Amino acid sequence: MRRIVAAQIGTDAMTPRRPSFTRRLLAAATAAVLAGTLASPLSAAAADGVATDPNDGVPRIDPPVTYTNFQPLADPGASAATYFQPKWHDTDGRHIQAHGGQVVTTEENGQTVYYWYGEDRTKGYWNSPGVAVYRSTDAKNWTNLGDALRSISTRDDLLTPYFEELYDTVDENGQPRTEKIDALAYHLNSTQNSDYTAIFERPKVLHNDKTGQWVMWWHADGRIAPGGSTYARSMAAVAVSDSPAGPFRMTGAFRMPNRQNYQACTQYAVPGQARDMTVFQDDDGKAYISYSSEENYTLYVAELDDSYTNVTHTTDSDTLDVNQYSEDGRYPYVFADGTPEAPVRGEDFQIVKECGHLEAPAIFERDGTYSVVTSGATGWAPNPQTYYTTKNLMGTWIRGIEADDANETVLYNSIPDDGDGLLSVGDARRTTFGSQTTNVFELEPGKFVYMGDRWNEGKSDSTYVWLPLTIGENGRLEMHNPAAEDPARYGNGWDASYWDDKGFGHGTWKVVDDRLPDTVRRGTSTTLPTTVAVEVDGRRADVGVTWTSLDTGRLGTRTLTGTLAADADFTVGRTFTRTVDVVEPGIAQIAPEAAVSASHRNDLARTVIDGRTSKGWDDWSSSGYPRDSWLAFEWDTARAIDSVVVDTYKDGATATWPSRIEVQYRDANGAWASSQVAATVAQDATQPAPVVTLDTRALAPMSALRLRMTTQTNTWQSIAEVSIWGQPGVPNVCRASDATVAASFWQTRYEVMTPNLACDGRRGTSWSTWSDTALKDSATFTLTTGSAHGIGGVEFTNIEGKVTGVSAEYRTADGTWTPVALIGGAPAVVNNAKTTLRFEPVRATGLRLTFATPGSYLKIPEIVVPEVVVPPKAAVTVASRCIGGRVTLVTTVRNAESMPVDVEVSSPWGRRTLTAMQPGQTASIAQSTRAASINAGTVTASTSAGDVRGSQEVAFTARSCG
């Protein structure tokens, strides 16, 4: 795809750097006007824009429209006829051609002026005329100033007066400068059938106060060989101009700084790669470039030099020999190889995210926090975008605002709804409202606007998504779609007044005491607090709050949204979310433990138990709408089911959910039987997708449950989530509150599959050791706990790769690892079949599994270490003596447990009990046989601690006293 972000310039009461910078730009702009360089484009902007070909295929409207707000947006899906709507027309009624662009804000003659730069796709994705620029005084109505940076279509274009004046392509004798022309043509010729087709993407512009120049950077790609990939070049190019309207002159096209081990995420990475990029200017005048590198796997940010036209560490030659271009003979020193001339990570460049497969960054700063909004690399298709933050551009970046949260390392599209780092709020399709980021600019002080593109494969009718950003609790970045959020108010568009009742203000706030209960019993009524304690930059005060309603009629976690009243720092409307669990003793959510299957689209079946309600499984098939479908859930043991909650899903404008749902169960013969538990569901498209609760308490325990779904209308039946509440299974030590898991290694390519995923209670997530480089012959999985737990076995199912064997060790309280003796020996591991290891129950503080994977790998969704009761056990020995010619049996007992125990000793000659033996205490019991000789036999020692009892047989030998 294309894109990124640039520094925007303008007054800002919330960040003091903006006003002084605006004054500097005003002075520069005024000087340029006096010099005559802006006279032509700016005078044209006052009326109509530059002339364009009415038959160029770009969408038009006649007469031109005057916009009074930013247009309302929907995300009906790429297949909808209205997806690439609305168009945004310039003052001549022509759809704006500023794709993958950026808005720069300045002042001219005391008036706020906006310049919008972007890719000119008049001719479609190929044959781009260059970088277009538009001018506006309200950021809504834009006048076309033409192309600020022009491409060429033939080599001879560089000999025309426009290019000759810019690049001095003809010498004093009137002869072409052949070497320069060839170098320029390599980077400026955008003709599709050219041997070295150049690609212009994501232009971003800065003003340099020291030089007085406007500096443009863009993602410059193209072929490096005739007929080759047009994304092989992967450079960042730079151009300069004395005017914001151009013309810009290219001065360089470079590879960018890289870490030395630039192939850490993929062996296919090339050195210094720079694709989707942006620029940012800080309040100290320093400027930075951010770029996606290493085949889009790693996102970088690097400091620019004082001229903004190169990085801080350069060399006088193209050390990579990749046809870089440099007007002044300076090229970036690419590798951080430790030499004195090399860039240093943490000083000259930094990695925002390693192995994240991200592109399209957009950087901005608020109250000392830098944020980069970025997209997943999914081609033209939009995805759920994320963001990273830091207090220091060259320091450590974290996803979202919480360091080391549960989703810090998951793939961007695996962040759950409302998870830290997920940008969009209410984004039902998880497509960032059908867009990919390109820029963030400040519309008014502290009011930031997200600029995105809705790509139609780079065609000229690709549209724009501009949406407001708000700052939530703890500085959380949130993007909203006003038209979907409040259609009655914003159905005709939105403007800066959107922020007025959205808790707009200065500083970082958080609710430090929500005063909500953690749990409530099902069916009870609860009074919610009317105030909460809020902290703003260290100051704490009580603030009034209103809550959404709390439904206690069904089990599960209820999310409540609190809306804060206005206070001294913020307007009314700050919102935050908290959860309250509706519970019933002895009942748990058991759906994630089940194996899930479906009548159709079985590959999506497990998405109905992933905890997200903003997506839907449906039963569509190639032959149409089945209208009679099912979802089945199966456990290892029979469970008593309390209730089933079905969140249906609205996928489009119609009612895309069942009209009836009934519960079936598997009978003793393995057949599906119908029950009386069912619900009829109204298919009313004017209403939200309903939530259906099915009471199953009257049904007998079952090991498999099936939901049969039928529909009266010709539609797919979409289900977002199924929650099944019932009798919990055996506790898994792997998921205990004091448990920690680790592994010798795990997969990071394509998806980060860490060992904790094997203990999350979800069969749809896996710990994997696959690698696209050197496969390892064995892998270890280690579980440790803070206290001793009873364990006596392990269960797991491997689904990919080849595991030829597995062994186990347990850790004692003193930290010693001891091999276990497997009952029945080590089992064979067969893929997609459960493997069970059994051993004598022990109390342990850890369990280590070693898997043999010669030349292969493993992929295990869930490891279950059942918590078992370990019977107390005394150390018992039995001896015999001869007393008076008769045999006396002597049983010696030592309490080997850590708690007091009672020990009952039973033999053919009686029964004796030792009560309340303290840990470590030893006692003996003598029993006279009254016989001169006895045969060999056993003594039974039963040890009890509370209600738990263990028993052992201790042998004694034959004895004769004759």
Side-chain angles (χ1 to χ4, degrees), residues 648-817:
T648 64
Y649 183 68
K650 187 173 185 180
D651 190 5
T654 60
T656 55
W657 54 81
S659 59
R660 183 172 175 81
I661 303 175
E662 75 174 77
V663 173
Q664 298 177 324
Y665 60 93
R666 182 172 289 162
D667 63 18
N669 297 318
W672 290 105
S674 296
S675 73
Q676 298 300 311
V677 180
T680 300
V681 187
Q683 291 181 310
D684 183 355
T686 65
Q687 299 298 316
V691 178
V692 179
T693 301
L694 301 159
D695 188 341
T696 55
R697 284 174 286 186
L699 302 181
M702 63 187 76
S703 61
L705 175 148
R706 190 165 76 172
L707 298 177
R708 182 190 177 196
M709 298 165 290
T710 54
T711 176
Q712 293 180 345
T713 58
N714 192 34
T715 183
W716 54 71
Q717 303 182 77
S718 295
I719 303 297
E721 187 76 5
V722 176
S723 301
I724 302 176
W725 298 91
Q727 183 183 54
V730 176
N732 184 1
V733 178
C734 200
R735 298 179 61 194
S737 59
D738 62 343
T740 302
V741 298
S744 52
F745 58 98
W746 54 88
Q747 177 178 333
T748 57
R749 177 83 186 274
Y750 300 121
E751 187 173 0
V752 179
M753 307 182 87
T754 51
N756 62 292
L757 297 178
C759 291
D760 63 357
R762 298 182 180 277
R763 295 188 182 183
T765 61
S766 301
W767 164 48
S768 171
T769 62
W770 177 84
S771 171
D772 61 347
T773 55
L775 294 166
K776 298 184 184 296
D777 292 335
S778 66
T780 60
F781 177 91
T782 305
L783 160 68
T784 57
T785 57
S787 58
H789 290 261
I791 61 174
V794 181
E795 299 173 355
F796 65 88
T797 300
N798 189 63
I799 60 176
E800 286 185 17
K802 183 178 181 180
V803 179
T804 60
V806 58
S807 60
E809 304 165 272
Y810 73 93
R811 189 177 74 169
T812 60
D814 63 2
T816 302
W817 287 97

Side-chain angles (χ1 to χ4, degrees), residues 99-243:
H99 310 283
Q102 169 220 12
V103 166
V104 174
T105 308
T106 185
E107 284 189 9
E108 294 172 0
N109 301 320
Q111 183 181 38
T112 299
V113 175
Y114 305 91
Y115 288 95
W116 185 358
Y117 300 89
E119 304 163 19
D120 186 345
R121 296 297 172 193
T122 295
K123 299 178 182 180
Y125 179 68
W126 304 105
N127 310 309
S128 170
V131 176
V133 59
Y134 292 77
R135 182 180 185 274
S136 175
T137 56
D138 61 6
K140 302 179 187 72
N141 298 281
W142 296 89
T143 299
N144 183 7
L145 303 186
D147 289 326
L149 173 73
R150 292 188 188 178
S151 68
I152 63 172
S153 56
T154 70
R155 183 179 180 278
D156 289 343
D157 288 343
L158 290 167
L159 298 175
T160 62
Y162 177 91
F163 289 101
E164 197 283 327
E165 183 176 351
L166 274 178
Y167 294 104
D168 189 24
T169 53
V170 178
D171 66 19
E172 60 274 8
N173 297 317
Q175 297 302 308
R177 301 183 190 273
T178 301
E179 186 175 350
K180 173 181 273 191
I181 291 171
D182 288 342
L184 289 167
Y186 182 81
H187 294 282
L188 293 177
N189 189 342
S190 66
T191 307
Q192 181 178 0
N193 60 7
S194 168
D195 285 346
Y196 300 101
T197 300
I199 305 294
F200 292 77
E201 296 183 348
R202 298 193 164 272
K204 304 294 181 281
V205 176
L206 298 165
H207 182 269
N208 190 307
D209 184 49
K210 292 181 179 179
T211 65
Q213 289 185 316
W214 296 79
V215 181
M216 177 188 295
W217 284 86
W218 71 96
H219 168 204
D221 229 313
R223 296 190 181 100
I224 59 175
S229 167
T230 53
Y231 275 86
R233 195 174 301 173
S234 55
M235 295 183 185
V238 60
V240 297
S241 174
D242 294 327
S243 159

Side-chain angles (χ1 to χ4, degrees), residues 607-622:
T607 64
V608 302
I609 58 171
D610 65 4
R612 297 190 295 113
T613 58
S614 63
K615 51 82 187 94
W617 164 89
D618 63 62
D619 60 349
W620 184 86
S621 70
S622 58

Side-chain angles (χ1 to χ4, degrees), residues 214-280:
W214 296 79
V215 181
M216 177 188 295
W217 284 86
W218 71 96
H219 168 204
D221 229 313
R223 296 190 181 100
I224 59 175
S229 167
T230 53
Y231 275 86
R233 195 174 301 173
S234 55
M235 295 183 185
V238 60
V240 297
S241 174
D242 294 327
S243 159
F248 281 82
R249 182 184 80 256
M250 184 180 69
T251 62
F254 307 124
R255 292 279 178 89
M256 289 282 109
N258 252 181
R259 56 180 172 171
Q260 185 78 348
N261 59 331
Y262 65 94
Q263 291 184 321
C265 300
T266 172
Q267 62 180 323
Y268 304 107
V270 299
Q273 188 178 67
R275 287 188 172 160
D276 281 6
M277 45 67 59
T278 193
V279 293
F280 172 77

Side-chain angles (χ1 to χ4, degrees), residues 408-757:
E408 184 69 26
T409 61
V410 303
L411 203 63
Y412 62 90
N413 57 6
S414 297
I415 304 174
D417 296 340
D418 300 320
D420 182 48
L422 189 66
L423 176 67
S424 301
V425 177
D427 179 25
R429 289 185 176 274
R430 288 177 66 88
T431 61
T432 316
F433 303 112
S435 74
Q436 185 185 40
T437 182
T438 182
N439 184 41
V440 173
F441 82 98
E442 204 165 14
L443 180 65
E444 292 181 3
K447 298 178 180 180
F448 294 93
V449 175
Y450 163 95
M451 293 173 57
D453 292 282
R454 183 170 290 176
W455 294 104
N456 186 14
E457 298 182 349
K459 298 176 182 177
S460 64
D461 64 347
S462 298
T463 51
Y464 308 99
V465 173
W466 284 26
L467 292 172
L469 297 173
T470 59
I471 308 299
E473 188 175 17
N474 291 314
R476 173 174 174 163
L477 186 61
E478 299 177 349
M479 186 168 80
H480 304 256
N481 184 354
E485 187 177 61
D486 189 350
R489 184 174 178 183
Y490 298 112
N492 294 320
W494 62 278
D495 58 21
S497 66
Y498 174 84
W499 285 273
D500 292 349
D501 59 357
K502 300 300 184 297
F504 180 76
H506 180 77
T508 301
W509 62 274
K510 61 180 177 180
V511 175
V512 293
D513 183 3
D514 58 41
R515 297 163 189 173
L516 287 170
D518 294 328
T519 62
V520 296
R521 286 287 298 272
R522 179 170 55 188
T524 61
S525 59
T526 302
T527 301
L528 302 179
T530 57
T531 64
V532 293
V534 180
E535 184 180 283
V536 180
D537 296 335
R539 296 175 285 111
R540 177 170 173 160
D542 284 353
V543 180
V545 62
T546 57
W547 301 94
T548 51
S549 61
L550 174 59
D551 175 13
T552 65
R554 54 190 174 93
L555 297 172
T557 300
R558 303 278 87 79
T559 298
L560 301 180
T561 298
T563 301
L564 297 178
D567 61 14
D569 298 291
F570 295 88
T571 64
V572 65
R574 284 173 292 169
T575 61
F576 63 98
T577 60
R578 293 294 186 270
T579 58
V580 175
D581 290 328
V582 179
V583 300
E584 195 68 33
I587 302 298
Q589 172 34 328
I590 62 173
E593 302 172 18
V596 188
S597 57
S599 54
H600 306 88
R601 307 189 76 183
N602 199 56
D603 58 322
L604 299 179
R606 287 201 62 84
T607 64
V608 302
I609 58 171
D610 65 4
R612 297 190 295 113
T613 58
S614 63
K615 51 82 187 94
W617 164 89
D618 63 62
D619 60 349
W620 184 86
S621 70
S622 58
S623 58
Y625 304 121
R627 302 183 69 168
D628 190 340
S629 304
W630 53 262
L631 285 166
F633 307 84
E634 184 172 359
W635 297 271
D636 294 331
T637 58
R639 306 290 187 94
I641 309 298
D642 174 274
S643 55
V644 180
V645 179
V646 182
D647 285 85
T648 64
Y649 183 68
K650 187 173 185 180
D651 190 5
T654 60
T656 55
W657 54 81
S659 59
R660 183 172 175 81
I661 303 175
E662 75 174 77
V663 173
Q664 298 177 324
Y665 60 93
R666 182 172 289 162
D667 63 18
N669 297 318
W672 290 105
S674 296
S675 73
Q676 298 300 311
V677 180
T680 300
V681 187
Q683 291 181 310
D684 183 355
T686 65
Q687 299 298 316
V691 178
V692 179
T693 301
L694 301 159
D695 188 341
T696 55
R697 284 174 286 186
L699 302 181
M702 63 187 76
S703 61
L705 175 148
R706 190 165 76 172
L707 298 177
R708 182 190 177 196
M709 298 165 290
T710 54
T711 176
Q712 293 180 345
T713 58
N714 192 34
T715 183
W716 54 71
Q717 303 182 77
S718 295
I719 303 297
E721 187 76 5
V722 176
S723 301
I724 302 176
W725 298 91
Q727 183 183 54
V730 176
N732 184 1
V733 178
C734 200
R735 298 179 61 194
S737 59
D738 62 343
T740 302
V741 298
S744 52
F745 58 98
W746 54 88
Q747 177 178 333
T748 57
R749 177 83 186 274
Y750 300 121
E751 187 173 0
V752 179
M753 307 182 87
T754 51
N756 62 292
L757 297 178

